[in-house]
Amino acid sequence: MTGKERVLNTIKRKPSDRMPASLRCTPEALEALLARTGTGSKQELYDSLGIDFRWIGLPFIGPKNRSLSPLGGEGYDFWGCYNKAVKNDFNTYYEITYHPLGEMSTVKEIEDYDWPDLDWWDYSAVPDIIRQEKQSDDTAIMFFAGGAFESPWYMRGLEQFLIDIYDQPEIAEAISRKVADFYYERALRVIEASNGMIDVIGSGGDIGGQHTMMLSPEKWRKHIKPYSAKLITPFKDMGFGTFYHSDGAIVPVINDFIDMGLDILDPIQVGAAGMTPEELYPKFGDRLSFHGAIDEVELLPHATSDEVYKETKRIMGILGASNGYIVSPTHQVQGDTDPDNVLAIYKAVRDNEKV
């Protein structure tokens, strides 16, 4: 079977020759994996590991002073936020130090802001980008559209955005609406440019903390859900698979996402309340597929490769019981993870292949 067939089967919870695999890495973790495996590029590495599910991005051709993706480097991103590099012993991260909508007090000010232009990206490059990911196999391709919660608070500031939801929701909704409309229209352009080679449209934004949601389920449903739905439901109706990323404990709203047309939930942060495979699968496994669940907080950086292999097999047995599981770390692999632990994940996948 091809990678695309495996992923599409997983969305429908139909059997395949093996469970599909996915992988994302920080630059530091990717460099270590390339060195460990002797592969010369990300695509060559992913081909060697049997990564079936690939994410694509877009080349930016807009103004140089707004050239970054959110949290994608030091400087101003395309929303107008300023990101500052913060380093530890293993990785470089980026924190937002300027929120361009932070001082605004009216919906008109929000509407009049210098919002990014859809023409700031080179859509003509999409077919070649996808072909790079399909050199050795017909892999499944996802374009991650964006999200209607995280990007808005990046622009407003998290504390102020959460205050807005309770005290002046018209401000929060104006920002979420503008962001969702932009991401929706940009995704439509990517789809048109892809010549039918995109399989899944992703969206996301962390709405969960370690123990509970970042805002009440009721407030999320009233003020955020309509805009998150715009990045799920229309694409489901067009025939695409749909994918949503949220870290943390989000069990109270998983049924809402299913009702919105969600196919794949990511990243299954197993250490958060209610998010273990044993808890999730009985509640949602007949209606939802899962992506992630190989713990990047404790397991991957601290376990042995044999322990990672065994835990991967165990989770495959739970989340994959109805064929609805894409094997993946719970987030980007971090620079403090031994490359052999990452390789152990995909050995477990290959060893589970049906002959």
Side-chain angles (χ1 to χ4, degrees):
M1 297 184 71
T2 67
K4 176 177 178 176
E5 289 170 335
R6 293 185 191 105
V7 171
L8 296 183
N9 276 4
T10 297
I11 289 172
K12 299 172 184 176
R13 290 173 293 285
K14 294 172 59 177
S16 298
D17 58 342
R18 64 164 172 81
M19 292 181 194
S22 181
L23 175 63
R24 294 174 67 212
C25 301
T26 65
E28 295 85 354
L30 177 61
E31 183 179 348
L33 275 167
L34 292 173
R36 172 65 178 83
T37 59
T39 46
S41 68
K42 175 183 171 182
Q43 283 83 7
E44 186 180 342
L45 170 68
Y46 280 25
D47 289 346
S48 71
L49 296 178
I51 303 303
D52 304 288
F53 191 47
R54 311 288 179 98
W55 306 41
I56 65 161
L58 285 174
F60 187 85
I61 55 173
K64 292 182 179 180
N65 65 341
R66 298 273 290 271
S67 63
L68 299 174
S69 296
L71 306 181
E74 188 162 80
Y76 287 96
D77 65 27
F78 61 78
W79 292 115
C81 303
Y82 190 83
N83 304 286
K84 180 177 175 57
V86 178
K87 297 184 179 182
N88 63 24
D89 291 340
F90 306 104
N91 291 283
T92 298
Y93 301 96
Y94 298 94
E95 294 183 357
I96 300 169
T97 60
Y98 172 68
H99 309 279
L101 307 184
E103 301 300 320
M104 295 184 181
S105 58
T106 67
V107 170
K108 185 177 187 306
E109 287 179 286
I110 301 299
E111 298 283 350
D112 290 345
Y113 176 66
D114 182 20
W115 293 90
D117 193 305
L118 289 167
D119 291 334
W120 288 359
W121 284 267
D122 182 7
Y123 304 96
S124 68
V126 169
D128 283 341
I129 291 170
I130 294 174
R131 281 191 282 268
Q132 284 291 314
E133 302 292 347
K134 291 178 175 282
Q135 292 183 78
S136 69
D137 184 25
D138 186 16
T139 54
I141 301 297
M142 181 174 77
F143 176 69
F144 192 87
F149 178 74
E150 236 176 47
S151 293
W153 80 246
Y154 290 172
M155 301 180 74
R156 183 69 165 158
L158 178 58
E159 181 178 357
Q160 185 58 56
F161 188 73
L162 292 175
I163 291 172
D164 292 339
I165 287 174
Y166 285 83
D167 289 350
Q168 43 186 358
E170 69 280 1
I171 296 287
E173 290 199 32
I175 302 171
S176 290
R177 181 178 62 253
K178 291 289 289 187
V179 168
D181 287 349
F182 171 83
Y183 279 142
Y184 173 75
E185 294 295 335
R186 190 177 66 163
L188 290 182
R189 291 201 184 189
V190 173
I191 289 167
E192 182 179 8
S194 73
N195 298 323
M197 291 190 288
I198 287 177
D199 307 295
V200 178
I201 297 295
S203 59
D206 297 341
I207 56 174
Q210 194 69 18
H211 302 290
T212 187
M213 290 179 59
M214 294 171 63
L215 68 169
S216 75
E218 294 74 24
K219 290 293 186 182
W220 175 84
R221 290 185 182 107
K222 184 174 182 180
H223 301 299
I224 303 299
K225 179 180 176 179
Y227 309 105
S228 294
K230 183 163 188 176
L231 300 174
I232 297 174
T233 308
F235 299 111
K236 174 75 168 183
D237 292 343
M238 294 175 201
F240 294 98
T242 56
F243 173 108
Y244 189 89
H245 166 90
S246 174
D247 291 344
I250 63 166
V251 171
V253 297
I254 291 178
N255 277 321
D256 293 81
F257 279 106
I258 293 171
D259 291 342
M260 288 154 61
L262 184 65
D263 292 310
I264 305 169
L265 180 65
D266 169 79
I268 319 303
Q269 186 180 332
V270 297
M275 297 298 291
T276 66
E278 293 88 345
E279 292 170 292
L280 288 181
Y281 179 79
K283 295 177 182 177
F284 308 110
D286 60 336
R287 296 170 293 144
L288 187 66
S289 297
F290 304 97
H291 176 283
I294 309 301
D295 177 39
E296 174 51 41
V297 177
E298 296 294 338
L299 179 73
L300 287 178
H302 302 303
T304 67
S305 58
D306 185 56
E307 289 169 334
V308 171
Y309 178 91
K310 291 177 180 177
E311 180 66 0
T312 301
K313 296 271 282 188
R314 189 187 73 83
I315 291 174
M316 289 167 64
I318 300 170
L319 292 182
S322 295
N323 307 302
Y325 178 43
I326 300 172
V327 183
S328 174
T330 50
H331 211 294
Q332 294 190 74
V333 176
Q334 304 293 302
D336 60 347
T337 296
D338 187 329
D340 284 339
N341 284 4
V342 180
L343 299 181
I345 299 171
Y346 303 102
K347 183 178 188 306
V349 175
R350 290 192 301 272
D351 288 351
N352 200 53
E353 188 166 0
K354 300 170 186 176
V355 181

mmCIF file of all heavy atoms in Angstrom, residues 79-99:
data_model
loop_
_atom_site.group_PDB
_atom_site.id
_atom_site.type_symbol
_atom_site.label_atom_id
_atom_site.label_comp_id
_atom_site.label_asym_id
_atom_site.label_seq_id
_atom_site.Cartn_x
_atom_site.Cartn_y
_atom_site.Cartn_z
ATOM 1 N N TRP A 79 1.806 38.315 10.887
ATOM 2 C CA TRP A 79 0.719 38.983 11.608
ATOM 3 C C TRP A 79 1.158 40.317 12.206
ATOM 4 O O TRP A 79 0.322 41.118 12.634
ATOM 5 C CB TRP A 79 0.206 38.092 12.739
ATOM 6 C CG TRP A 79 -0.502 36.852 12.284
ATOM 7 C CD1 TRP A 79 -0.099 35.560 12.476
ATOM 8 C CD2 TRP A 79 -1.724 36.776 11.553
ATOM 9 N NE1 TRP A 79 -1.003 34.696 11.912
ATOM 10 C CE2 TRP A 79 -2.011 35.407 11.337
ATOM 11 C CE3 TRP A 79 -2.613 37.733 11.053
ATOM 12 C CZ2 TRP A 79 -3.140 34.967 10.651
ATOM 13 C CZ3 TRP A 79 -3.748 37.294 10.367
ATOM 14 C CH2 TRP A 79 -4.001 35.943 10.171
ATOM 15 N N GLY A 80 2.478 40.545 12.275
ATOM 16 C CA GLY A 80 2.989 41.759 12.881
ATOM 17 C C GLY A 80 3.461 41.591 14.308
ATOM 18 O O GLY A 80 3.822 42.565 14.969
ATOM 19 N N CYS A 81 3.484 40.348 14.809
ATOM 20 C CA CYS A 81 4.037 40.065 16.135
ATOM 21 C C CYS A 81 5.558 40.027 16.055
ATOM 22 O O CYS A 81 6.114 39.603 15.036
ATOM 23 C CB CYS A 81 3.537 38.709 16.647
ATOM 24 S SG CYS A 81 1.747 38.541 16.746
ATOM 25 N N TYR A 82 6.217 40.435 17.142
ATOM 26 C CA TYR A 82 7.675 40.314 17.189
ATOM 27 C C TYR A 82 8.046 39.094 18.022
ATOM 28 O O TYR A 82 7.573 38.908 19.140
ATOM 29 C CB TYR A 82 8.349 41.550 17.777
ATOM 30 C CG TYR A 82 9.856 41.489 17.593
ATOM 31 C CD1 TYR A 82 10.432 41.887 16.398
ATOM 32 C CD2 TYR A 82 10.684 40.979 18.588
ATOM 33 C CE1 TYR A 82 11.803 41.805 16.196
ATOM 34 C CE2 TYR A 82 12.053 40.881 18.402
ATOM 35 C CZ TYR A 82 12.608 41.298 17.195
ATOM 36 O OH TYR A 82 13.958 41.186 16.985
ATOM 37 N N ASN A 83 8.907 38.234 17.456
ATOM 38 C CA ASN A 83 9.336 36.998 18.094
ATOM 39 C C ASN A 83 10.814 37.107 18.463
ATOM 40 O O ASN A 83 11.645 37.465 17.629
ATOM 41 C CB ASN A 83 9.140 35.822 17.132
ATOM 42 C CG ASN A 83 7.710 35.704 16.650
ATOM 43 O OD1 ASN A 83 6.843 35.295 17.388
ATOM 44 N ND2 ASN A 83 7.464 36.097 15.399
ATOM 45 N N LYS A 84 11.130 36.762 19.705
ATOM 46 C CA LYS A 84 12.504 36.826 20.202
ATOM 47 C C LYS A 84 13.024 35.418 20.468
ATOM 48 O O LYS A 84 12.318 34.572 21.023
ATOM 49 C CB LYS A 84 12.557 37.643 21.491
ATOM 50 C CG LYS A 84 13.957 37.767 22.087
ATOM 51 C CD LYS A 84 13.949 38.643 23.327
ATOM 52 C CE LYS A 84 15.313 38.683 23.996
ATOM 53 N NZ LYS A 84 16.378 39.155 23.098
ATOM 54 N N ALA A 85 14.268 35.150 20.057
ATOM 55 C CA ALA A 85 14.877 33.837 20.270
ATOM 56 C C ALA A 85 15.205 33.632 21.742
ATOM 57 O O ALA A 85 15.716 34.527 22.418
ATOM 58 C CB ALA A 85 16.142 33.706 19.431
ATOM 59 N N VAL A 86 14.887 32.420 22.223
ATOM 60 C CA VAL A 86 15.216 32.007 23.593
ATOM 61 C C VAL A 86 15.847 30.623 23.492
ATOM 62 O O VAL A 86 15.233 29.693 22.963
ATOM 63 C CB VAL A 86 13.972 31.956 24.491
ATOM 64 C CG1 VAL A 86 14.346 31.483 25.894
ATOM 65 C CG2 VAL A 86 13.289 33.312 24.542
ATOM 66 N N LYS A 87 17.081 30.482 23.998
ATOM 67 C CA LYS A 87 17.817 29.228 23.806
ATOM 68 C C LYS A 87 18.019 28.513 25.137
ATOM 69 O O LYS A 87 18.181 29.131 26.188
ATOM 70 C CB LYS A 87 19.182 29.513 23.173
ATOM 71 C CG LYS A 87 19.102 30.122 21.787
ATOM 72 C CD LYS A 87 20.489 30.299 21.173
ATOM 73 C CE LYS A 87 20.391 30.881 19.773
ATOM 74 N NZ LYS A 87 21.722 31.015 19.115
ATOM 75 N N ASN A 88 17.989 27.169 25.040
ATOM 76 C CA ASN A 88 18.457 26.360 26.158
ATOM 77 C C ASN A 88 19.553 25.440 25.638
ATOM 78 O O ASN A 88 20.073 25.644 24.539
ATOM 79 C CB ASN A 88 17.297 25.595 26.820
ATOM 80 C CG ASN A 88 16.622 24.600 25.885
ATOM 81 O OD1 ASN A 88 17.205 24.118 24.906
ATOM 82 N ND2 ASN A 88 15.376 24.277 26.181
ATOM 83 N N ASP A 89 19.889 24.410 26.381
ATOM 84 C CA ASP A 89 21.002 23.543 25.974
ATOM 85 C C ASP A 89 20.678 22.693 24.748
ATOM 86 O O ASP A 89 21.587 22.123 24.135
ATOM 87 C CB ASP A 89 21.387 22.604 27.135
ATOM 88 C CG ASP A 89 22.031 23.337 28.289
ATOM 89 O OD1 ASP A 89 22.527 24.467 28.071
ATOM 90 O OD2 ASP A 89 22.035 22.800 29.415
ATOM 91 N N PHE A 90 19.389 22.586 24.398
ATOM 92 C CA PHE A 90 19.001 21.625 23.358
ATOM 93 C C PHE A 90 18.316 22.246 22.150
ATOM 94 O O PHE A 90 18.411 21.712 21.046
ATOM 95 C CB PHE A 90 18.073 20.561 23.964
ATOM 96 C CG PHE A 90 18.645 19.873 25.166
ATOM 97 C CD1 PHE A 90 18.205 20.190 26.439
ATOM 98 C CD2 PHE A 90 19.640 18.924 25.026
ATOM 99 C CE1 PHE A 90 18.734 19.556 27.545
ATOM 100 C CE2 PHE A 90 20.180 18.285 26.129
ATOM 101 C CZ PHE A 90 19.725 18.607 27.396
ATOM 102 N N ASN A 91 17.600 23.346 22.343
ATOM 103 C CA ASN A 91 16.795 23.907 21.265
ATOM 104 C C ASN A 91 16.768 25.419 21.351
ATOM 105 O O ASN A 91 17.023 26.003 22.406
ATOM 106 C CB ASN A 91 15.336 23.410 21.349
ATOM 107 C CG ASN A 91 15.190 21.945 21.034
ATOM 108 O OD1 ASN A 91 15.222 21.532 19.886
ATOM 109 N ND2 ASN A 91 15.019 21.131 22.077
ATOM 110 N N THR A 92 16.416 26.028 20.222
ATOM 111 C CA THR A 92 16.074 27.447 20.189
ATOM 112 C C THR A 92 14.575 27.569 20.005
ATOM 113 O O THR A 92 13.997 26.970 19.091
ATOM 114 C CB THR A 92 16.792 28.163 19.037
ATOM 115 O OG1 THR A 92 18.207 28.063 19.235
ATOM 116 C CG2 THR A 92 16.398 29.638 18.984
ATOM 117 N N TYR A 93 13.938 28.320 20.887
ATOM 118 C CA TYR A 93 12.505 28.583 20.785
ATOM 119 C C TYR A 93 12.301 30.076 20.542
ATOM 120 O O TYR A 93 13.247 30.865 20.621
ATOM 121 C CB TYR A 93 11.785 28.152 22.068
ATOM 122 C CG TYR A 93 11.944 26.692 22.398
ATOM 123 C CD1 TYR A 93 12.922 26.268 23.292
ATOM 124 C CD2 TYR A 93 11.126 25.734 21.806
ATOM 125 C CE1 TYR A 93 13.079 24.921 23.597
ATOM 126 C CE2 TYR A 93 11.272 24.392 22.102
ATOM 127 C CZ TYR A 93 12.246 23.988 23.001
ATOM 128 O OH TYR A 93 12.412 22.649 23.296
ATOM 129 N N TYR A 94 11.066 30.453 20.261
ATOM 130 C CA TYR A 94 10.765 31.857 20.008
ATOM 131 C C TYR A 94 9.551 32.264 20.832
ATOM 132 O O TYR A 94 8.549 31.560 20.871
ATOM 133 C CB TYR A 94 10.526 32.086 18.506
ATOM 134 C CG TYR A 94 11.756 31.746 17.705
ATOM 135 C CD1 TYR A 94 11.912 30.481 17.157
ATOM 136 C CD2 TYR A 94 12.787 32.665 17.567
ATOM 137 C CE1 TYR A 94 13.062 30.142 16.466
ATOM 138 C CE2 TYR A 94 13.944 32.333 16.877
ATOM 139 C CZ TYR A 94 14.074 31.075 16.330
ATOM 140 O OH TYR A 94 15.224 30.745 15.662
ATOM 141 N N GLU A 95 9.692 33.398 21.516
ATOM 142 C CA GLU A 95 8.621 33.931 22.340
ATOM 143 C C GLU A 95 8.167 35.269 21.778
ATOM 144 O O GLU A 95 8.988 36.056 21.279
ATOM 145 C CB GLU A 95 9.092 34.095 23.785
ATOM 146 C CG GLU A 95 9.408 32.775 24.476
ATOM 147 C CD GLU A 95 9.806 32.965 25.927
ATOM 148 O OE1 GLU A 95 9.884 34.137 26.376
ATOM 149 O OE2 GLU A 95 10.045 31.953 26.613
ATOM 150 N N ILE A 96 6.880 35.521 21.877
ATOM 151 C CA ILE A 96 6.328 36.775 21.368
ATOM 152 C C ILE A 96 6.533 37.876 22.396
ATOM 153 O O ILE A 96 6.115 37.755 23.549
ATOM 154 C CB ILE A 96 4.833 36.613 21.054
ATOM 155 C CG1 ILE A 96 4.635 35.520 20.000
ATOM 156 C CG2 ILE A 96 4.239 37.932 20.563
ATOM 157 C CD1 ILE A 96 3.201 35.107 19.805
ATOM 158 N N THR A 97 7.196 38.943 21.971
ATOM 159 C CA THR A 97 7.451 40.064 22.874
ATOM 160 C C THR A 97 6.683 41.324 22.466
ATOM 161 O O THR A 97 6.719 42.325 23.179
ATOM 162 C CB THR A 97 8.951 40.388 22.926
ATOM 163 O OG1 THR A 97 9.417 40.730 21.599
ATOM 164 C CG2 THR A 97 9.745 39.193 23.441
ATOM 165 N N TYR A 98 5.996 41.285 21.326
ATOM 166 C CA TYR A 98 5.174 42.421 20.903
ATOM 167 C C TYR A 98 3.896 41.890 20.272
ATOM 168 O O TYR A 98 3.945 41.064 19.353
ATOM 169 C CB TYR A 98 5.922 43.308 19.906
ATOM 170 C CG TYR A 98 5.057 44.375 19.287
ATOM 171 C CD1 TYR A 98 4.577 45.431 20.056
ATOM 172 C CD2 TYR A 98 4.680 44.307 17.946
ATOM 173 C CE1 TYR A 98 3.753 46.404 19.504
ATOM 174 C CE2 TYR A 98 3.867 45.281 17.383
ATOM 175 C CZ TYR A 98 3.401 46.324 18.162
ATOM 176 O OH TYR A 98 2.590 47.277 17.617
ATOM 177 N N HIS A 99 2.765 42.359 20.790
ATOM 178 C CA HIS A 99 1.442 41.948 20.315
ATOM 179 C C HIS A 99 0.791 43.163 19.641
ATOM 180 O O HIS A 99 0.388 44.112 20.330
ATOM 181 C CB HIS A 99 0.583 41.470 21.480
ATOM 182 C CG HIS A 99 1.254 40.440 22.344
ATOM 183 N ND1 HIS A 99 1.298 39.111 22.010
ATOM 184 C CD2 HIS A 99 1.914 40.565 23.537
ATOM 185 C CE1 HIS A 99 1.951 38.451 22.963
ATOM 186 N NE2 HIS A 99 2.338 39.307 23.883
#
